[in-house]
Amino acid sequence: MVNPQAYLSEKLFSPDIEKVPTRNGYGEGLVLSGEKNKNVVVLCADLSESTRSEYFQKKFPERFIEVGVAEQNMASLASGMALAGKIPFISSYATFSPGRNNEQIRTTIAINNVNVKIGGAHAGISVGPDGATHQALEDMALMRVMPNMRVISPCDALEAKKATIAAAEIEGPVYLRFARAGTPLFTTEKTPFHFGKAEVFWIGNDVTIVASGPLAYEALLAVSLLEKEGVSAEVINNHTVKPLDKETILASLRKTKALVTVEEHQVAGGMGSSVLEMLAQNFQVPAEMVGIQDRFGESGTPEELLNEFKLSHPFIMEAVKKVLRRKKT
Amino acid sequence: MPTQKQYSIAQLEKKANEIRQDIITMLLEAKSGHSAGPLGMADIFTALYFKVLKHDPKNPEWEDRDRLILSNGHICPVRYAAMAHAGYFKKEELMTLRKFGSRLQGHPERARLPGMETTSGPLGSGLSQASGMAYAGKYLDKKDWRVFCLMSDGEQECGQTWEAAMFAAKNRLDNLVAIIDRNNIQIDGFTEDVMPLEDLKAKYEAFNWHVLEIDGHNMEEIIDACNQAKAIHQKPTLILAHTIPGKGVSFMENDFKWHGTPPGVSDMPGEPAKDEQAKIALKELRTLQGKISSEHE
Ligand SMILES: Cc1ncc(C[n+]2csc(CCOP(=O)(O)OP(=O)(O)O)c2C)c(N)n1
Ligand SMILES: [Mg+2]
């Protein structure tokens, strides 16, 4: 059953639930952070509209810096600004930042341990028709293996807004991951969001689904249908991929003793991998991973691609059934 | 060895116009994709595929072909259309642009479409790849095929472009011709507002390139420049092609809003209603923006 403490939307499973891209929450969060703290500045590499950093540009033109198509320069410019006391957010598509500028982030931001926030838009397969070159599927892996870096992958636009505000308040480097397509707005202002703290969205006993990003909604759809088939699954919304909330995840798995991880990212090196790395050292259970299986993306509509890459709720249901069979034997 | 058929300038211009119409129809069907860049580069792609390049549409992997690298992959609709006209594949396939399962991906993918040469979309890596090919052709294999690299002006903001420019000049890659689509727009505005690029000619000359400046819509100038480049020894050649983004469709011309917007999906202030956009665009192309009263096919 849905966790009442999660305060999810009353329209949770209604067909007319509003759909908003998580990148919109980034734009709104930037404006609110800019209002709170005048040290917040935003840099953008010729993508101000589609990363939504234009919301900030309109409100604070004097604190918005256009760098042109130059993501490597942007990362190190931001490092310099952070060293001069600013809180820079750098905005682009995730394939370019933290993709193209990975080494600049590593040396000038992460080793330096400076206060730069990286906003990566157009992450995941649901980018759609642009195709493989624009669908970031390795970004969380790149960022979570980097010392000093934190990684947040919000599940909807509201959580994205909260995550952006939280990032401005954290001292040090943070990577924020956003999607292009509109996805259900299923949390509310009251839904708890604490950096580093995973939230139980659905309470169950037989299996734990740890999800992050907009696919957390697909996980909820899956468990609501599974409940009708007599399967009781728990859903944890694991927005903070690094540092991982060991306690919440372990407590759930000690109860259910079976795991399914769900993410719009390569299964190698992603959020699910980080959960399994932690479990290997603490508490072992059978696990299935829903995610991209060592393939690049391609053109298509978001819906076509979520099905082709086996990420939508029927595939999560299948993974749950498979892990339950493994749990019994 | 396959050779180019002899087309007159008038025939090439007509071909470019047909390619522009195909671009509009493809984008309308795809419901996403880029309008301005592809329309602006139709003349250059026509000149390349129908006059300049040594290539064989029936044998895209022909060893001695000239190589065409498209660095700014987002303008691929114009290349796909030119390839279909040249006979690489049937024109019907153009209607699969950006759809699930299509060989015509939103940004080009080498492995899916023979003749594509490389994968692009992320800006700024084309000149490096072209220089690598040119180096292999000139020094390692001692072949006489040539390498053409198309770039956008927005890409001149990428540091890697200049790393490649240095390499090509150092290695005297006179089998390399780069063409810049100097259309003055990028996503966030005009290039000179976003990140001033001028004096682009002087910059490449300072990097030891031979630079030719042309009107990118003048078929004769395009062909002449490509021919002249063959006579330049010990230096790579840059053709700085001044173009009009959205060329041929009045409401798209010189307007950066049309960088990444297809006809038919959005009502924008000051633009024709979305349902009218493609119709008006196609009519303008057929009548050369009203210059001729009887529409030609
Ligand atoms: C490395 C990289 N950064 C950002 C982008 C997103 N992007 C796509 S096209 C473009 C604009 C570049 O300007 P230009 O190529 O001159 O555009 P056009 O003239 O075709 O409208 C940008 C920033 C990209 N494709 N690659
Ligand atoms: Mg341009």
Side-chain angles (χ1 to χ4, degrees):
Chain A
M1 75 170 190
V2 66
N3 180 4
Q5 303 300 313
Y7 298 101
L8 297 183
S9 166
E10 280 167 14
K11 284 197 163 174
L12 186 56
F13 297 126
S14 139
D16 66 341
I17 187 164
E18 196 186 346
K19 288 187 173 178
V20 183
T22 57
R23 58 190 163 132
N24 289 23
Y26 177 58
E28 288 164 19
L30 289 177
V31 170
L32 292 168
S33 300
E35 282 169 354
K36 267 200 217 163
N37 189 333
K38 64 177 178 21
N39 281 326
V40 169
V41 297
V42 175
L43 288 80
C44 189
D46 197 23
L47 286 169
S48 58
E49 193 264 344
S50 55
T51 60
R52 302 299 190 247
S53 34
E54 68 169 5
Y55 298 1
F56 186 92
Q57 178 184 20
K58 290 201 174 116
K59 191 86 197 249
F60 304 108
E62 71 292 350
R63 281 193 266 151
F64 176 84
I65 299 131
E66 171 68 76
V67 305
V69 192
E71 296 80 9
Q72 294 151 295
N73 191 32
M74 176 165 70
S76 300
L77 285 170
S79 164
M81 289 186 194
L83 288 166
K86 301 297 156 197
I87 307 173
F89 281 75
I90 61 176
S91 317
S92 183
Y93 293 164
T95 43
F96 313 136
S97 176
R100 171 163 299 196
N101 56 12
N102 199 254
E103 192 282 329
Q104 281 81 359
I105 291 173
R106 183 174 188 269
T107 304
T108 68
I109 296 174
I111 297 182
N112 257 345
N113 200 12
V114 289
N115 212 359
V116 176
K117 323 299 168 183
I118 301 147
H122 287 41
I125 198 84
S126 56
V127 169
D130 275 340
T133 56
H134 283 55
Q135 297 161 342
L137 303 177
E138 302 84 22
D139 53 311
M140 289 201 285
L142 291 173
M143 288 292 92
R144 81 172 182 85
V145 297
M146 212 175 262
N148 292 336
M149 186 63 67
R150 291 87 164 168
V151 178
I152 312 179
S153 171
C155 67
D156 70 0
L158 251 175
E159 190 169 272
K161 181 179 81 178
K162 295 174 190 171
T164 305
I165 295 168
E169 284 161 6
I170 293 164
E171 183 65 34
V174 180
Y175 172 54
L176 295 155
R177 175 180 219 243
F178 305 107
R180 184 193 76 89
T183 49
L185 198 63
F186 66 100
T187 68
T188 62
E189 287 290 354
K190 280 177 85 178
T191 304
F193 178 87
H194 303 286
F195 170 73
K197 173 92 184 65
E199 296 295 336
V200 175
F201 275 3
W202 196 277
I203 301 168
N205 297 312
D206 302 338
V207 53
T208 302
I209 302 175
V210 180
S212 74
L215 286 185
Y217 183 77
E218 293 291 322
L220 290 172
L221 276 181
V223 299
S224 70
L225 294 169
L226 285 164
E227 205 167 66
K228 292 178 187 140
E229 297 179 21
V231 176
S232 160
E234 184 141 296
V235 175
I236 295 179
N237 175 40
N238 186 32
H239 48 68
T240 305
V241 174
K242 185 188 175 190
L244 195 63
D245 180 358
K246 239 167 108 167
E247 287 69 36
T248 304
I249 295 169
L250 276 174
S252 176
L253 286 168
R254 290 210 158 94
K255 172 175 73 175
T256 64
K257 299 191 174 60
L259 169 69
V260 171
T261 62
V262 178
E263 65 198 304
E264 209 177 317
H265 186 277
Q266 303 288 356
V267 293
M271 183 280 295
S273 290
S274 83
V275 172
L276 287 165
E277 285 160 16
M278 183 274 287
L279 289 181
Q281 298 171 67
N282 289 282
F283 181 72
Q284 275 130 64
V285 298
E288 291 292 325
M289 302 176 85
V290 174
I292 310 284
Q293 309 286 342
D294 201 24
R295 275 173 76 183
F296 285 115
E298 59 184 284
S299 293
T301 65
E303 298 72 33
E304 282 167 338
L305 296 172
L306 289 174
N307 286 327
E308 168 67 17
F309 287 80
K310 299 188 165 38
L311 303 173
S312 48
H313 68 270
F315 300 101
I316 301 174
M317 292 171 73
E318 246 175 54
V320 164
K321 289 175 186 170
K322 194 163 167 207
V323 86
L324 287 175
R325 286 196 296 275
R326 288 176 57 200
K327 185 178 159 183
K328 283 196 193 97
T329 54
Chain B
M1 181 188 96
T3 45
Q4 292 281 23
K5 268 192 244 155
Q6 290 308 305
Y7 292 96
S8 68
I9 295 295
Q11 284 172 317
L12 291 173
E13 285 169 350
K14 185 157 177 280
K15 188 66 88 190
N17 186 288
E18 287 165 12
I19 286 172
R20 286 194 168 92
Q21 295 178 44
D22 284 338
I23 292 168
I24 296 292
T25 318
M26 290 162 75
L27 291 171
L28 181 69
E29 173 69 23
K31 300 185 185 67
S32 73
H34 301 77
S35 300
L39 290 171
M41 288 298 280
D43 301 301
I44 287 172
F45 270 92
T46 304
L48 288 170
Y49 273 104
F50 292 93
K51 192 85 181 180
V52 174
L53 289 180
K54 212 167 60 171
H55 70 126
D56 181 3
K58 297 291 165 238
N59 181 15
E61 308 291 320
W62 174 41
E63 233 185 283
D64 293 325
R65 72 189 181 282
D66 290 338
R67 271 65 169 171
L68 175 60
I69 296 292
L70 175 61
S71 186
N72 49 328
H74 65 273
I75 71 163
C76 59
V78 62
R79 182 169 187 169
Y80 294 149
M83 286 173 77
H85 278 262
Y88 281 84
F89 52 85
K90 290 206 175 72
K91 281 188 204 158
E92 294 87 82
E93 195 171 345
L94 292 175
M95 294 303 118
T96 68
L97 174 71
R98 290 181 156 253
K99 291 192 176 164
F100 182 64
S102 174
R103 299 196 295 171
L104 312 187
Q105 291 286 296
H107 292 83
E109 250 182 69
R110 186 191 74 85
R112 284 179 198 264
L113 189 65
M116 204 57 231
E117 302 290 2
T118 193
T119 300
S120 60
L123 298 167
S125 69
L127 192 59
S128 300
Q129 294 174 72
S131 299
M133 281 181 159
Y135 188 97
K138 182 176 161 95
Y139 296 112
L140 306 177
D141 290 346
K142 303 192 169 47
K143 297 281 192 177
D144 60 7
W145 43 262
R146 301 171 66 72
V147 184
F148 292 82
C149 177
L150 293 183
M151 293 186 274
S152 66
D153 46 6
E155 280 184 291
Q156 306 310 308
E157 294 164 10
C158 302
Q160 188 180 352
T161 301
W162 300 97
E163 296 172 26
M166 271 187 261
F167 177 92
K170 173 194 171 187
N171 291 293
R172 299 188 292 278
L173 298 178
D174 48 15
N175 55 344
L176 172 65
V177 178
I179 303 176
I180 295 180
D181 174 16
R182 184 61 171 128
N183 66 5
N184 300 302
I185 65 157
Q186 54 189 110
I187 296 180
D188 283 352
F190 294 108
T191 59
E192 299 312 286
D193 293 329
V194 172
M195 188 55 65
L197 296 170
E198 291 301 334
D199 183 343
L200 212 43
K201 180 169 192 274
K203 283 178 183 163
Y204 271 90
E205 281 171 348
F207 273 62
N208 226 359
W209 282 58
H210 183 75
V211 181
L212 299 166
E213 236 175 327
I214 63 163
D215 169 357
H217 303 304
N218 183 317
M219 206 54 86
E220 271 175 85
E221 284 189 31
I222 301 166
I223 295 163
D224 284 351
C226 292
N227 285 335
Q228 272 182 49
K230 288 188 194 153
I232 303 303
H233 289 283
Q234 305 298 323
K235 276 186 179 188
T237 296
L238 172 73
I239 299 174
L240 195 52
H242 295 278
T243 66
I244 295 170
K247 171 76 178 169
V249 178
S250 57
F251 60 90
M252 291 182 177
E253 286 185 356
N254 293 312
D255 184 348
F256 56 80
K257 278 203 304 284
W258 287 98
H259 156 87
T261 311
V265 299
S266 38
D267 285 315
M268 298 186 275
E271 306 290 338
K274 64 179 180 201
D275 294 339
E276 295 297 311
Q277 290 163 1
K279 252 185 272 172
I280 297 174
L282 289 171
K283 174 149 193 194
E284 282 192 8
L285 289 167
R286 284 195 303 264
T287 61
L288 302 179
Q289 296 190 344
K291 284 191 198 81
I292 47 176
S293 49
S294 69
E295 300 184 16
H296 65 186
E297 286 313 302

